[in-house]
Amino acid sequence: MDALNTARETLPAPRQRGLSAPLKRYFGTPLNALITLVCLWLMVRLATAAWGWLVTRAVMEGGPEACKGGTGACWPFLAAKLRFMIFGFYPYDEHWRPALALGLFLCAIIISMMPRFWGRGLVWLWIAVPLICGVLMYGGVFGLPVVTTTNWGGLPLSFMLSFVGLALGFPLGVVLALARSSKLPAIQVIAIIFIEVVRGVPLVSILFMASVMLPLFMPDGLTVDKLLRAQVAIIIFAGAYIAETVRGGLQAVPKGQHEAAAALGLGYWLAMRKIILPQALKIVIPPLVNIFIGFFQDTTLVTIIGLLDFLDTVRASLRDPNWQGIAVIEGYVFAALVYAVFSYAMGSYSRFLEQRLKTDHDRSAAGG
C-alpha cells in the first residue's frame, strides 16, 4: 500500500486544459472578461489621447506664437522656463552652484542607500555634504558672491526642506516614541502633549506660527532666517508623525524580546539599540516611507510663508504674460513627472529594504 502511494506521488500531475492561471484571473468568467475588455479599451483610448497630446499634435519648436491655437502640448514653453522652474529666482549666471549642490545631495542619498556603505562613515558624509551645499548656495567664501535665502527656490529648496526635515525629524521621532513608551510619568506626559498638539494642527498652521508669530516673541534686533524657521517647523511636524509610527513598531515587538534582553543583563538603552529598535524599525518601514513621500510632496505648503518651492516656480512660470493662456498644463505635467519619479524611487527602495532586512526566520518561514 505504501509503495502504491509512493508511486502515485511520483506520477506527474494531470495536465490542465483551458486557460492558464493568469488568463483565468482576467477571463475566467463572463463578468471578468467584460470588465477586462472595458478596462483595456479605456487604457488604449487614454494612451492614444496622451500620445496625441504629447507627441503627434505637440509643438516642438518656436515661441508663444507657434503654440497659439494648437491642440497639443507646447514644449517650447518648457524649454524656455525649465531653468526658472528648477532654480527659481537664483541668479541666472550662478545656476551652476545650486545644480552642483543638488547633485552632491543626490549622490549622498544614493551612497546612503547602498548597504556596502552603511557604517559610521555616513555620519561624516552627512555632516560634510550639508555644509558644502550651504556654502555653495549662500556663498561669501572662495570668491562666491552672496545669494541670500530669499532668492533660493525651485527643486533644490524642495529637496532641502523635505530631506533635511526628515533626516532630522527621524531621530526626533524615535526619541519621542521612546519617551511616550517610557515608564517615567513626567517624560511620558511631556511626550504625549508634544505629539498630540503637533499632530492636532495642520502643517500650514505650524509654518504660519514659525514665520509670523515667532518673530513677535523675539527680542528687538534679533531675527531668525525665514528658511531656517520653516525648516525647524517641518522637522517638528515630521518628528511627531514619525514618533507615532515608531511607537506602533515598538508595541509590535514581542514581549519575549524584552525579557530576553533583560535575561542577558542588557540595560535599557543597550537593549533598545541592539534588540528592540532594529526589530521595531523593520516592522514600520512601509508606513515610514508613506510619511516620507507625503512630506516630500507637502513641502509645497511653504509657499504660504513666501518661500518659492518647486511647484510654486512652476505656477509662476505659467503666470508669465508671454505664455499665459498658451501653456496651461505643460508645467504641471513636468512637476507631476518629477514628483512621481522621486516618490516611486522611495517606494521601490522601501521594498528593497524590506527584503534586505528580513531575518533568517522570516526567510525560512517564507521558504517553508
Side-chain angles (χ1 to χ4, degrees):
M1 192 68 179
D2 293 338
L4 180 60
N5 292 333
T6 304
R8 288 177 177 175
E9 291 176 359
T10 57
L11 289 175
R15 187 174 182 180
Q16 297 181 354
R17 296 182 178 180
L19 297 174
S20 61
L23 289 179
K24 281 185 177 180
R25 184 182 303 175
Y26 299 104
F27 298 96
T29 65
L31 179 60
N32 281 358
L34 177 61
I35 294 174
T36 299
L37 292 174
V38 170
C39 290
L40 287 174
W41 177 77
L42 290 174
M43 291 171 63
V44 169
R45 290 294 301 271
L46 181 62
T48 303
W51 179 261
W53 185 81
L54 291 169
V55 179
T56 307
R57 303 190 306 273
V59 178
M60 300 295 181
E61 297 178 352
E65 297 296 328
C67 295
K68 287 184 177 179
T71 58
C74 180
W75 296 128
F77 162 79
L78 194 61
K81 293 294 183 181
L82 182 62
R83 292 181 66 166
F84 177 78
M85 286 190 286
I86 294 177
F87 302 114
F89 288 108
Y90 205 91
Y92 189 87
D93 294 336
E94 302 292 329
H95 278 181
W96 66 271
R97 289 162 55 182
L100 180 57
L102 184 60
L104 288 174
F105 201 79
L106 291 176
C107 287
I109 292 174
I110 293 172
I111 291 173
S112 302
M113 294 167 67
M114 297 180 180
R116 71 178 69 177
F117 296 110
W118 290 353
R120 295 181 180 179
L122 286 180
V123 177
W124 297 107
L125 176 69
W126 281 105
I127 292 174
V129 169
L131 290 176
I132 295 173
C133 292
V135 169
L136 281 171
M137 293 286 291
Y138 189 81
V141 293
F142 306 116
L144 298 174
V146 173
V147 180
T148 60
T149 57
T150 55
N151 291 322
W152 296 12
L155 200 57
L157 179 66
S158 295
F159 263 98
M160 183 184 69
L161 289 173
S162 57
F163 283 91
V164 173
L166 290 169
L168 297 181
F170 181 77
L172 174 62
V174 172
V175 171
L176 288 171
L178 294 176
R180 185 161 186 173
S181 303
S182 174
K183 295 180 180 180
L184 301 176
I187 295 178
Q188 188 180 44
V189 168
I190 292 173
I192 290 174
I193 292 174
F194 180 89
I195 293 171
E196 295 303 327
V197 169
V198 174
R199 292 174 69 243
V201 296
L203 178 57
V204 173
S205 300
I206 297 180
L207 288 171
F208 181 78
M209 290 285 292
S211 178
V212 179
M213 300 299 294
L214 181 61
L216 299 178
F217 298 94
M218 301 292 290
D220 293 338
L222 181 62
T223 59
V224 180
D225 187 82
K226 182 187 294 185
L227 178 59
L228 180 59
R229 297 198 299 266
Q231 186 69 85
V232 171
I234 291 174
I235 291 171
I236 292 173
F237 196 75
Y241 275 85
I242 292 172
E244 284 299 277
T245 302
V246 174
R247 187 171 70 91
L250 291 173
Q251 292 178 338
V253 176
K255 188 177 179 181
Q257 297 295 312
H258 296 266
E259 296 172 350
L264 291 173
L266 300 180
Y268 175 81
W269 292 110
L270 190 58
M272 281 292 171
R273 185 166 64 91
K274 293 290 187 178
I275 297 178
I276 308 303
L277 268 179
Q279 297 182 64
L281 294 179
K282 289 178 188 178
I283 296 171
V284 298
I285 286 175
L288 278 178
V289 172
N290 284 338
I291 292 176
F292 292 172
I293 293 174
F295 272 92
F296 175 63
Q297 298 169 355
D298 285 345
T299 53
T300 56
L301 296 173
V302 298
T303 183
I304 197 172
I305 60 174
L307 295 176
L308 204 68
D309 75 301
F310 174 58
L311 186 59
D312 207 40
T313 57
V314 171
R315 287 194 291 256
S317 300
L318 293 171
R319 291 192 294 266
D320 187 336
N322 295 325
W323 296 95
Q324 198 167 15
I326 300 173
V328 181
I329 63 173
E330 285 81 356
Y332 289 116
V333 170
F334 173 65
L337 180 62
V338 171
Y339 282 113
V341 167
F342 286 106
S343 298
Y344 178 77
M346 286 188 279
S348 299
Y349 185 66
S350 74
R351 291 189 290 272
F352 164 76
L353 274 184
E354 289 181 66
Q355 296 296 323
R356 172 79 184 186
L357 299 179
K358 275 187 176 181
T359 62
D360 293 336
H361 174 73
D362 294 333
R363 291 194 181 101
S364 61

